[in-house]
């Protein structure tokens, strides 16, 4: 029987791109005949308590020897000792969505601590799966991972109906992402401030419980810029609500500082939406030039220019929309993604 243990931090139903990827892979592998045993390693990652670390190590040690183990990088990156012990009797695969050390809003000291911890953990695993080629390059360059031990398995994108738009002269901008420093909502609102005379509204959908400060900063910026009637925050939404939001959108915008892939960008492309984003991490791999305007992360002035151009130029929006539709055809389906993931697992099981 094809069997593996999938270890992850916290709750699998957490509404973030990384957890969506995990759920899709787990469900897909099961549909292909894999026995996937789920193992939650506890809460608080990537800042687990000593008690959580000890309990996670104990849980990993209960896995029968020889069993293939996939560990989400949000946990494995801060469990180097547990991974080292586990790898002595198990083939271990690290699933890295993006390096913890590249998170926005942490101190240089914390970033270096993450980098050292992740490097140690990755040195013990049998193989690494990443969700985008830029993350593969980063692991080779900054985390001493051999390129031959990495497979890129990009997230799938469900084929979706094309967005119908707002049907209004006031352009509806939509932004989807957890409200954390890395998603750059403070940058986005600052970039929109000089455009108050233009016809636009903005809806932000994303979990507001992942960070303590970013949601407060977002509320503060909405008030101080006088955007109470123009910017709406929905918090986390379900799939039906998200689809309805995409359908009413005219433009997708997200000012991320870094993405390991950028699933929200891919979902916007699948609906034929013009995209405004940044060049942070894997975003240029996901959004081609013909489909969006990408600016350097944190560059408020350049983001304002991109927003102004798209809001004012209908022909530009149409060209980017057509580019998005073409780009969407190049995206893998979830079925293809799961099959690729399964192929990697089978290859590893076949190795001595």
């Amino acid at each position: 029987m094809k069997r593996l243990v999938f270890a992850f931090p916290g709750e699998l139903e957490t509404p973030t791109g990384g957890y969506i990827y995990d759920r899709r892979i787990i469900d897909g592998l099961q549909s292909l005949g894999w026995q996937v045993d789920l193992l939650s390693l506890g809460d608080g990652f990537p800042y687990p308590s000593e008690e959580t670390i000890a309990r996670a190590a104990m849980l990993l040690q209960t896995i029968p020897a020889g069993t293939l183990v996939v560990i989400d990088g949000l946990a494995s990156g801060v469990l180097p000792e547990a991974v080292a012990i586990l790898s002595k009797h198990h083939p271990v695969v690290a699933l890295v969505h993006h390096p913890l050390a590249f998170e926005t809003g942490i101190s240089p000291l914390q970033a270096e601590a993450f980098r050292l911890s992740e490097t140690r953990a990755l040195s013990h695993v049998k193989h690494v799966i990443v969700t985008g080629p830029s993350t593969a390059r980063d692991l080779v360059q900054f985390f001493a991972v051999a390129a031959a031990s990495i497979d890129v398995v990009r997230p799938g994108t469900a084929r979706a109906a094309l967005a119908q738009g707002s049907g209004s002269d006031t352009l509806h901008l939509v932004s989807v992402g957890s409200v954390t420093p890395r998603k750059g909502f403070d940058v986005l609102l600052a970039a929109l401030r000089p455009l108050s005379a233009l016809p636009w509204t903005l809806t932000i959908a994303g979990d507001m419980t992942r960070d303590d400060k970013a949601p407060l900063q977002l509320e503060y910026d909405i008030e101080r810029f006088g955007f109470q009637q123009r910017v709406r925050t929905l918090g986390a939404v379900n799939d039906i609500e998200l689809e309805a939001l995409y359908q009413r959108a005219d433009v997708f915008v997200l000012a991320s500082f870094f993405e390991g892939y950028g699933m929200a960008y891919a979902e916007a492309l699948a609906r034929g939406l013009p995209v405004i984003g940044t060049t942070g991490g894997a975003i240029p791999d996901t959004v081609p030039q013909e489909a969006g305007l990408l600016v350097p992360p944190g560059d408020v002035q350049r983001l304002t220019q991109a927003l102004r151009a798209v809001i004012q130029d209908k022909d530009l929006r149409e060209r980017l929309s057509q580019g998005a539709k073409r780009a969407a055809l190049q995206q893998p389906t979830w079925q293809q993604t799961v099959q690729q993931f399964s192929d990697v697992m089978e290859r590893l099981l076949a190795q001595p």
Side-chain angles (χ1 to χ4, degrees), residues 329-347:
L329 297 176
Q330 306 303 314
Q331 296 172 344
T333 64
W334 278 111
Q335 183 179 8
Q336 292 170 327
T337 293
V338 169
Q339 185 62 60
Q340 184 185 0
F341 200 104
S342 176
D343 290 345
V344 174
M345 297 299 101
E346 290 197 35
R347 188 180 78 230

Side-chain angles (χ1 to χ4, degrees), residues 58-136:
M58 180 188 68
L59 289 170
L60 291 171
Q61 290 172 24
T62 65
I63 300 173
T67 305
L68 178 62
V69 182
V70 178
I71 308 182
D72 187 288
L74 184 62
S76 64
V78 291
L79 296 173
E81 290 83 8
V83 171
I85 295 171
L86 183 69
S87 65
K88 292 179 180 180
H89 304 289
H90 304 76
V92 179
V93 179
L95 170 55
V96 180
H97 300 283
H98 67 83
L100 301 176
F102 292 173
E103 190 60 70
T104 303
I106 61 176
S107 69
L109 187 64
Q110 180 63 70
E112 180 61 10
F114 275 148
R115 190 189 69 80
L116 293 174
S117 178
E118 288 177 289
T119 299
R120 288 169 55 205
L122 291 169
S123 72
H124 295 292
V125 304
K126 183 181 183 68
H127 204 70
V128 181
I129 290 180
V130 298
T131 55
S134 71
T135 303

Side-chain angles (χ1 to χ4, degrees), residues 283-332:
I283 298 169
D285 295 328
T286 305
V287 182
Q289 291 184 355
E290 65 177 1
L293 302 182
L294 303 183
V295 305
D299 193 327
V300 173
Q301 184 175 359
R302 293 277 295 277
L303 185 57
T304 296
Q305 293 170 352
L307 286 161
R308 186 189 302 277
V310 170
I311 293 171
Q312 291 186 319
D313 191 336
K314 182 178 180 180
D315 291 339
L316 173 60
R317 294 199 301 274
E318 179 59 28
R319 289 197 301 273
L320 294 177
S321 175
Q322 293 302 320
K325 295 171 187 176
R326 291 190 294 270
L329 297 176
Q330 306 303 314
Q331 296 172 344

Side-chain angles (χ1 to χ4, degrees), residues 85-322:
I85 295 171
L86 183 69
S87 65
K88 292 179 180 180
H89 304 289
H90 304 76
V92 179
V93 179
L95 170 55
V96 180
H97 300 283
H98 67 83
L100 301 176
F102 292 173
E103 190 60 70
T104 303
I106 61 176
S107 69
L109 187 64
Q110 180 63 70
E112 180 61 10
F114 275 148
R115 190 189 69 80
L116 293 174
S117 178
E118 288 177 289
T119 299
R120 288 169 55 205
L122 291 169
S123 72
H124 295 292
V125 304
K126 183 181 183 68
H127 204 70
V128 181
I129 290 180
V130 298
T131 55
S134 71
T135 303
R137 295 190 293 268
D138 288 337
L139 294 187
V140 171
Q141 182 175 358
F142 300 107
F143 298 87
V145 180
S149 66
I150 303 174
D151 269 281
V152 178
V153 183
R154 293 191 299 158
T157 304
R159 300 299 182 245
L162 297 176
Q164 298 302 302
S166 63
S168 169
D169 292 335
T170 299
L171 223 61
H172 184 200
L173 312 177
V174 166
S175 194
V176 178
S178 299
V179 182
T180 64
R182 182 164 56 87
K183 298 299 182 179
F185 288 111
D186 55 339
V187 176
L188 175 55
L189 263 63
L192 283 168
R193 185 182 186 185
L195 306 179
S196 296
L198 298 182
W200 59 267
T201 60
L202 170 66
T203 301
I204 298 171
D207 191 353
M208 299 184 73
T209 66
R210 306 291 296 174
D211 184 85
D212 293 332
K213 296 180 180 179
L216 297 176
Q217 182 67 51
L218 177 58
E219 293 176 5
Y220 173 71
D221 288 341
I222 290 173
E223 183 173 352
R224 73 185 178 116
F225 295 152
F227 286 164
Q228 294 93 330
Q229 304 304 315
R230 307 187 74 167
V231 176
R232 186 170 57 130
T233 59
L234 303 181
V237 298
N238 61 37
D239 291 344
I240 295 175
E241 293 167 329
L242 181 60
E243 183 58 35
L245 180 62
Y246 277 129
Q247 287 301 312
R248 297 192 304 271
D250 297 305
V251 176
F252 178 86
V253 56
L254 187 60
S256 298
F257 282 87
F258 182 89
E259 293 285 354
Y261 177 72
M263 288 175 60
Y265 291 95
E267 290 180 346
L269 295 177
R271 290 158 179 82
L273 288 170
V275 170
I276 301 175
T278 76
T279 56
I283 298 169
D285 295 328
T286 305
V287 182
Q289 291 184 355
E290 65 177 1
L293 302 182
L294 303 183
V295 305
D299 193 327
V300 173
Q301 184 175 359
R302 293 277 295 277
L303 185 57
T304 296
Q305 293 170 352
L307 286 161
R308 186 189 302 277
V310 170
I311 293 171
Q312 291 186 319
D313 191 336
K314 182 178 180 180
D315 291 339
L316 173 60
R317 294 199 301 274
E318 179 59 28
R319 289 197 301 273
L320 294 177
S321 175
Q322 293 302 320

